[in-house]
Amino acid sequence: MAPSFDNESSLFNFVVRDGNGVKGIVDSGISKVPQAYIQPTAEQIDKKNASKCEIPPIDLSKLDGPDHDEVVNQIVRAAETLGFFQVVNHGVPIQLLDSLKQTAHNFFSLPAERKAVYRKEVSPSPLVKYGTSFVPEKERALEWKDYISMAYTNDDEALQQWPIECRDVALQFLKTSHEMVRNLLEALLGNLGEELDDSKIDAFIGKKMVNMNFYPTCPNPELTVGVGRHSDMGTLTILLQDGIGGLYVKVPEDVDMEKKGEWVEIPPIPNALVINVGDMLQIWSNGRYKSAEHRVRTTSTKSRVSIPIFTSPLPTQKVAPLPQVVKKDGVARYKEFVFSNYMNSFFGNAHDGKKSLEFAQINSN
């Protein structure tokens, strides 16, 4: 029998400690959102007043032809402004995208005890973590999301240790997207005067992780968030979203774009992947590229899934603005640090916009 969801500690135990997740709450037949999930008014997402981001997707197949320079400019322009863009003809098979979405639904439909074996405290593998919300212990209001996270070391360990229900398609996604990620990174770093060769690639994307996120239907979507305001800590994020929508990005105040400071929705485009700039690219570029502040709303009609690949430097990697960019700018806006220290800071706090970057900022005043 489900506990009283009005009692915060019994809800926390049921959702987090026992591994039932948000899906367990929904499956118990609730008619209203428990208090622990009600966001402060300022964090609630007003779907009615949000506009859609109408920027067309970038066709990556044109990188191989006469339009190469124009496509690179589109990628750079997107990274310098919104920090988010969508790509088509990206090299990941369309059939695989459909399989990923179906596999995510299948995994989260498993009985709670099958998923709970991967909770951080008990997981048989350090590579795999099943959880809910972001940092439940630190959050004033919980996020309406369950997830499974699979860290990549090599193919053999992934096949041995990732959950059997989703390992094959997750690994395929990682492998078939690699060339696209490299091409995007070459374009973005090349624009900063940095060549990307094999000896350098791990410094930028040596650490990779595939997540499957599940946002169950919510009786009061207007009171909750699927994911709170944040930017991603790594280099580039590659996101497959389904057709339901709900991903919002904040237009930065300091860029030449309409709707400055407003939240715009990134509408689902069939067969496209969403790319967003992470904090590390903002730091390497000395602030030229913008790590995108984004969040996710919930929906009352249908459960939503998304499958991101997070790429980042190896934990031991030192990160600082690229010297040639600092020379051009005349000032370094971020200090040098070891990436693992940034990770610890990022995962040690609840989502709070782009506050994660303060770890590396050099105060100019």
Side-chain angles (χ1 to χ4, degrees):
M1 189 181 125
S4 161
F5 294 134
D6 296 329
N7 178 309
E8 211 151 304
S9 70
S10 67
L11 175 133
F12 188 90
N13 288 342
F14 177 82
V15 173
V16 179
R17 197 197 62 194
D18 301 339
N20 290 288
V22 185
K23 186 171 188 299
I25 300 178
V26 174
D27 289 349
S28 74
I30 54 159
S31 57
K32 65 179 178 39
V33 165
Q35 185 64 42
Y37 286 91
I38 297 177
Q39 295 287 330
T41 311
E43 300 298 335
Q44 293 171 9
I45 299 173
D46 184 357
K47 181 185 171 185
K48 294 182 196 72
N49 288 333
S51 57
K52 283 192 163 50
C53 175
E54 304 296 355
I55 302 169
I58 298 172
D59 183 349
L60 293 185
S61 65
K62 293 184 176 177
L63 276 173
D64 290 333
D67 297 329
H68 175 271
D69 291 355
E70 170 55 30
V71 176
V72 168
N73 287 340
Q74 289 173 4
I75 293 165
V76 166
R77 165 78 183 155
E80 288 177 340
T81 51
L82 195 59
F84 251 86
F85 53 99
Q86 300 202 61
V87 295
V88 292
N89 296 323
H90 39 64
V92 181
I94 303 309
Q95 200 176 349
L96 177 59
L97 301 183
D98 293 335
S99 289
L100 281 158
K101 289 180 276 194
Q102 189 55 56
T103 299
H105 276 291
N106 294 349
F107 179 81
F108 289 101
S109 297
L110 291 171
E113 57 272 17
R114 289 273 296 280
K115 296 175 285 190
V117 296
Y118 292 108
R119 282 187 309 113
K120 183 172 70 174
E121 297 78 11
V122 296
S123 179
S125 166
L127 305 181
V128 183
K129 179 188 167 192
Y130 165 76
T132 190
S133 197
F134 179 60
V135 189
E137 300 79 10
K138 297 273 180 90
E139 288 161 343
R140 283 180 304 172
L142 297 171
E143 299 177 354
W144 197 262
K145 176 188 92 169
D146 300 331
Y147 66 90
I148 184 84
S149 167
M150 295 165 277
Y152 179 78
T153 45
N154 57 57
D155 290 5
D156 286 347
E157 288 194 351
L159 291 169
Q160 285 163 15
Q161 299 182 39
W162 289 7
I164 194 168
E165 295 85 0
C166 43
R167 67 182 185 199
D168 293 336
V169 290
L171 189 56
Q172 261 185 290
F173 187 28
L174 198 63
K175 292 168 83 79
T176 55
S177 63
H178 180 74
E179 190 179 346
M180 170 195 67
V181 173
R182 185 175 179 132
N183 289 341
L184 292 171
L185 205 52
E186 273 179 353
L188 291 167
L189 292 174
N191 177 61
L192 302 174
E194 179 78 9
E195 271 191 47
L196 187 68
D197 58 38
D198 287 346
S199 67
K200 288 182 187 169
I201 196 157
D202 278 359
F204 295 105
I205 55 166
K207 181 176 161 57
K208 301 183 192 74
M209 188 154 77
V210 186
N211 278 25
M212 289 185 171
N213 298 327
F214 184 71
Y215 306 92
T217 51
C218 178
N220 312 98
E222 69 287 351
L223 301 179
T224 59
V225 297
V227 181
R229 298 176 298 111
H230 71 291
S231 56
D232 291 347
M233 68 170 182
T235 303
L236 283 172
T237 301
I238 296 85
L239 177 79
L240 169 62
Q241 59 170 342
D242 63 16
I244 292 167
L247 174 63
Y248 290 80
V249 179
K250 190 175 189 180
V251 181
E253 302 276 4
D254 58 347
V255 297
D256 180 21
M257 273 184 89
E258 291 176 12
K259 303 174 182 163
K260 286 181 190 180
E262 289 182 32
W263 289 92
V264 295
E265 184 170 7
I266 303 290
I269 295 174
N271 306 327
L273 291 168
V274 180
I275 311 295
N276 72 276
V277 170
D279 291 350
M280 294 307 108
L281 260 183
Q282 178 162 330
I283 290 165
W284 283 314
S285 69
N286 207 30
R288 197 173 299 184
Y289 298 146
K290 312 296 180 192
S291 67
E293 184 177 351
H294 54 289
R295 60 185 183 176
V296 175
R297 70 168 162 79
T298 60
T299 173
S300 59
T301 50
K302 227 174 174 184
S303 294
R304 175 180 183 264
V305 293
S306 69
I307 299 98
I309 295 174
F310 297 107
T311 68
S312 57
L314 290 167
T316 52
Q317 183 68 41
K318 284 183 178 171
V319 177
L322 294 169
Q324 60 270 44
V325 182
V326 174
K327 189 176 177 186
K328 201 171 177 183
D329 294 347
V331 60
R333 298 188 176 92
Y334 304 95
K335 66 183 183 187
E336 184 179 77
F337 56 89
V338 176
F339 182 59
S340 58
N341 293 338
Y342 194 95
M343 283 169 61
N344 293 339
S345 169
F346 184 86
F347 287 115
N349 296 286
H351 282 146
D352 189 7
K354 290 189 67 168
K355 205 167 179 198
S356 53
L357 270 165
E358 289 177 9
F359 176 87
Q361 249 150 3
I362 294 172
N363 294 325
S364 52
N365 45 353

